[in-house]
């Protein structure tokens, strides 16, 4: 079937794709746009392996002169990404927690600081770390289905979003909305997320890829160099803050996550998820 | 009459109340929610005595493990609080100004930094320091009566809101709305205050306590520990700024308030208030 | 014809005017309001000469005790100001670039930090530096004509708005709207500019001066001293940031603007403008 980036009837544009266990990437060289699809059933949870593959995929595209922008979406129905994989944070060694958290940081540093235009096509629910991925893009389009929700709901699980999740959120929705939403651990249905400015646009699900391609074309109409310098100017303060406190942030995570009370909360949450199925 | 926190027909929940000259507090131990009512006629102005009692009441609740949240409202009709008591700032000694200002700071540090869930049920007008109290809570519900207004109107009196009033305001409504409102010393009628985001919700006056209890229940559904850490993360920068400059801020206040021109403005303002009666 | 600041039938208020090549200023001593009109055909572009005259005019009014506020508008049809004069940034010496950039900084420091009430009556399009002038005022009223647009569109030209343009923009519209608008180099038609908060109010073009005078009267109803201290409190952090990095900012500008790739972009842009005529 013709890609939405490829008008029907025209000769096929040169196209390169690479894929790993969790993520599928297809780069359209004529437009300079890569389509990145999360395909880690059942819910695209951000395991250590997923995060590593995500960072590697971003790095590959970043270093590919043929690539100017990336659209991030899910290959699975109803879910964009369920966020950090709780099994990575439960009953593991300190070394594992450190490695895992460094991979979360690495992914965010690459995505939030990317020189490419990044568009999130949020075609399903997107809690916690899934929401962070969307928030880190330049533009967020969401399927207008009110059954899909998005938000940094960490507090619901008894855990706390780290300061750089918070900074990214505040940069998108402002201090007040972030304060309330984070404290309540809110998951906002798509229409509410749009009203709050958490996503930029809602479209019917079947139009999502098409719309993402159109938005991408609009952003790519600008000269790369000026756009990239502008993006850096807007995001540098928040990126630098994590870079400056990266080891401290890892230590904080390990201390917090290895508390017996937190481990207990996470185990209960996983039990609840299992029963839901 | 049954409390709105107490469904009719059920046995009465254990309930503790304490009260001082200016403020009445009733703690419902079953829900963990305290109702704090300002009752200092005629207008709940924030005298040194009021502020001291307010801080002590907050401290008592903060240290009471049975208390998880507090609803702040007024026991008087039409007024939430008229703000700082001008008589405390007029014709008094430098020592008095210092003591008074320290009490204002103390109240704000306790309220803005409270670990409890704080809901303001603004059942009347709420200028200046009264508005600060509302802004320092986690959530603000206001009676939808357009005759009630709220705002940091210090500039109207020829005085200037200190930087931490401003920081608190900016964290709620953003920089632009704060800049304009503070320069004009605006008192916003309830509907406008809602439009600007200064209050979160409007309800008919008779529904105010009921709504506050419902909102409180929603916030208390979250695990305390995660919610508190999240709140601290959002508010710490602004709290720390006053803590770091507390003595300097007192000195600034004394210098400013003891200027003859400012004293004259305040005396004129008090004359005007007297004539109004 | 009677001025909108001067009700018909009353004796004429004392009035002083001064004028230079590019800007005409008329001060109404009874109201304390100056009307400043840009009159540098064809498009009020901000040349070194214009910027110098602008700064001098602001300084004169700032030091004139009879003047409390200034309304800034254009004497030309359809254009408020086209922004920085590209001919000043193209094919000139390093010394010239330095002198020019210092004049841009000087203008902004004076306008954004002015003790006077500043109202922009935006009666035409206002890209780039023209938009900066409007953003630096206390209040922005725009003619509701959707053919008029406003925005920091530097990225469209392949250049980057400096950090203090960005800071000024963020203080008005918030981080998210600024990030998107700056990266896209958007020029927002008046209705969209109003929706985004980039301008405070839209009025029919023929009502613009009248409305500006009414807004000015509202702002001047406040005591100057308290209003000025409040304004300083809101804007000082952003002003101080440029003051602290002024020479560095000039160096950055020179390095950037003298790059051959940038010079080429600017020459192409100027060619395009010439062909448009």
């Amino acid at each position: 079937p013709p890609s939405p980036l490829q008008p029907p009837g025209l000769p096929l544009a040169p196209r390169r794709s690479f894929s790993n266990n969790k993520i599928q990437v297809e780069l359209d060289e004529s437009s300079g746009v890569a389509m990145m699809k999360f395909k880690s059933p059942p819910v695209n949870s951000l395991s250590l392996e997923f995060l590593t593959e995500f960072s590697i995929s971003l790095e590959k595209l970043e270093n590919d002169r043929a690539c100017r922008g990336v659209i991030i979406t899910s290959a699975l129905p109803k879910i964009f990404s369920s966020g950090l994989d709780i099994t990575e944070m439960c009953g593991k060694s300190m070394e594992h927690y450190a490695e895992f958290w460094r991979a979360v940081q690495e992914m965010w540093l690459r995505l939030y600081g990317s020189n490419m235009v990044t568009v999130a096509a949020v075609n399903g629910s997107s809690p916690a770390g899934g929401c962070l991925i969307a928030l880190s893009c330049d533009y967020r389009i969401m399927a207008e289905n009110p059954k899909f929700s998005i938000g940094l709901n960490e507090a619901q699980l008894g855990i706390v979003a780290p300061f750089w999740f918070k900074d990214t959120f505040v940069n998108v929705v402002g201090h007040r909305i972030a304060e309330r939403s984070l404290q309540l651990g809110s998951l906002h249905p798509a229409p509410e997320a749009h009203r709050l400015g958490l996503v930029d646009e809602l479209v019917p699900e079947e139009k999502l890829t098409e719309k993402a391609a159109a938005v991408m074309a609009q952003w790519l109409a600008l000269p790369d160099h000026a756009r990239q310098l502008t993006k850096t100017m807007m995001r540098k303060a928040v990126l630098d803050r994590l870079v400056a406190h990266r080891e401290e942030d890892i230590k904080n995570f390990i201390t917090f996550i290895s508390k017996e009370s937190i481990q207990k909360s996470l185990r209960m949450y996983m039990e609840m998820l299992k029963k839901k199925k």
Side-chain angles (χ1 to χ4, degrees), chain A residues 109-184:
Chain A
L109 289 169
R110 286 202 176 277
L111 183 58
Y112 198 63
S114 174
N115 269 325
M116 301 180 285
V117 174
T118 51
V119 173
V122 184
N123 54 343
S125 284
S126 197
C131 177
L132 180 73
I133 291 175
L135 288 170
S136 302
C137 289
D138 292 313
Y139 198 84
R140 286 156 289 286
I141 311 167
M142 191 166 179
E144 67 188 357
N145 191 334
K147 287 183 185 166
F148 298 160
S149 64
I150 185 169
L152 294 174
N153 62 323
E154 282 78 355
Q156 292 272 5
L157 284 65
I159 58 177
V160 181
F163 71 88
W164 40 285
F165 281 50
K166 180 264 287 179
D167 289 343
T168 310
F169 198 23
V170 168
N171 272 356
V172 173
V173 298
H175 191 279
R176 171 58 188 155
I177 290 172
E179 184 183 87
R180 180 174 160 187
S181 182
L182 284 172
Q183 281 200 65
L184 290 172

Side-chain angles (χ1 to χ4, degrees), chain A residues 139-143 194 199-203 208 211 215:
Chain A
Y139 198 84
R140 286 156 289 286
I141 311 167
M142 191 166 179
H194 183 238
V199 298
D200 295 298
E201 210 169 335
L202 298 183
V203 296
L208 201 53
K211 183 71 200 184
V215 165

Side-chain angles (χ1 to χ4, degrees), chain A residues 27-227:
Chain A
L27 171 62
D28 179 307
E29 293 196 23
S30 65
S31 65
V33 177
M35 176 68 78
M36 182 184 279
K37 286 186 177 165
F38 298 158
K39 54 166 185 66
S40 179
V43 290
N44 291 327
S45 67
L46 306 173
S47 62
L48 179 54
E49 191 188 348
F50 187 106
L51 290 164
T52 307
E53 292 191 359
F54 191 15
S55 288
I56 290 174
S57 300
L58 285 172
E59 191 184 11
K60 268 195 205 171
L61 294 174
E62 200 81 52
N63 294 331
D64 188 335
R65 298 199 48 149
C67 182
R68 299 175 62 211
V70 55
I71 295 169
I72 299 176
T73 194
S74 166
L76 309 182
K78 295 183 192 164
I79 188 87
F80 180 71
S81 160
S82 65
L84 302 186
D85 187 341
I86 293 174
T87 63
E88 303 277 13
M89 304 191 271
C90 226
K92 297 284 197 299
S93 69
M94 300 293 173
E95 290 69 32
H96 185 85
Y97 295 149
E99 190 187 359
F100 177 64
W101 199 247
R102 193 179 301 278
V104 181
Q105 294 175 332
E106 186 65 26
M107 177 277 286
W108 178 76
L109 289 169
R110 286 202 176 277
L111 183 58
Y112 198 63
S114 174
N115 269 325
M116 301 180 285
V117 174
T118 51
V119 173
V122 184
N123 54 343
S125 284
S126 197
C131 177
L132 180 73
I133 291 175
L135 288 170
S136 302
C137 289
D138 292 313
Y139 198 84
R140 286 156 289 286
I141 311 167
M142 191 166 179
E144 67 188 357
N145 191 334
K147 287 183 185 166
F148 298 160
S149 64
I150 185 169
L152 294 174
N153 62 323
E154 282 78 355
Q156 292 272 5
L157 284 65
I159 58 177
V160 181
F163 71 88
W164 40 285
F165 281 50
K166 180 264 287 179
D167 289 343
T168 310
F169 198 23
V170 168
N171 272 356
V172 173
V173 298
H175 191 279
R176 171 58 188 155
I177 290 172
E179 184 183 87
R180 180 174 160 187
S181 182
L182 284 172
Q183 281 200 65
L184 290 172
S186 304
L187 284 176
H188 306 286
E192 186 178 290
H194 183 238
R195 228 166 27 242
L196 297 176
L198 207 164
V199 298
D200 295 298
E201 210 169 335
L202 298 183
V203 296
E205 197 171 347
E206 67 275 15
K207 302 267 186 189
L208 201 53
T209 326
E210 187 186 336
K211 183 71 200 184
V215 165
M216 181 60 82
Q218 186 199 3
W219 285 66
L220 290 182
L222 278 284
D224 281 340
H225 188 62
R227 189 194 47 71

